Amino acid sequence: MVRTPLTPEERERGERLGALLREARGARSMVEVAAGAGLSAETLRKIETGRAPTPAFFTVAALAEALGLSLDDVLRRCAAVPA
């Protein structure tokens, strides 16, 4: 299966999501947060570093719950920034 290249906007949105997750995680370890969301620490690492800039909705929802974030807040903070 060939994936289409990500647009610059998709990459930027992924970077904003990663930054939000790192900020919300605070002093908690990746292992702790990933386990709370039912993910591997490597998956969380990829999302936080932008190597997985388009995670599945259910992955984002699980992380938001584990971090105490509302999906509305995630959307608001990761949506495209108007030019």
Side-chain angles (χ1 to χ4, degrees):
M1 178 169 103
V2 176
R3 292 187 67 165
T4 57
L6 297 174
T7 66
E9 293 81 17
E10 289 170 323
R11 281 194 292 278
E12 289 173 13
R13 187 175 57 230
E15 290 171 6
R16 286 191 298 275
L17 175 61
L20 171 62
L21 295 176
R22 281 190 306 278
E23 177 186 318
R25 182 166 56 83
R28 289 179 280 183
S29 74
M30 278 189 178
V31 172
E32 177 185 348
V33 172
L39 305 170
S40 71
E42 182 58 22
T43 297
L44 178 54
R45 184 180 342 276
K46 286 178 181 178
I47 295 168
E48 283 191 1
T49 60
R51 288 187 2 228
T54 58
F57 171 79
F58 291 105
T59 300
V60 175
L63 284 167
E65 183 175 347
L67 292 167
L69 298 169
S70 74
L71 288 175
D72 287 335
D73 191 37
V74 173
L75 174 64
R76 189 172 29 263
R77 298 205 31 209
C78 295
V81 178

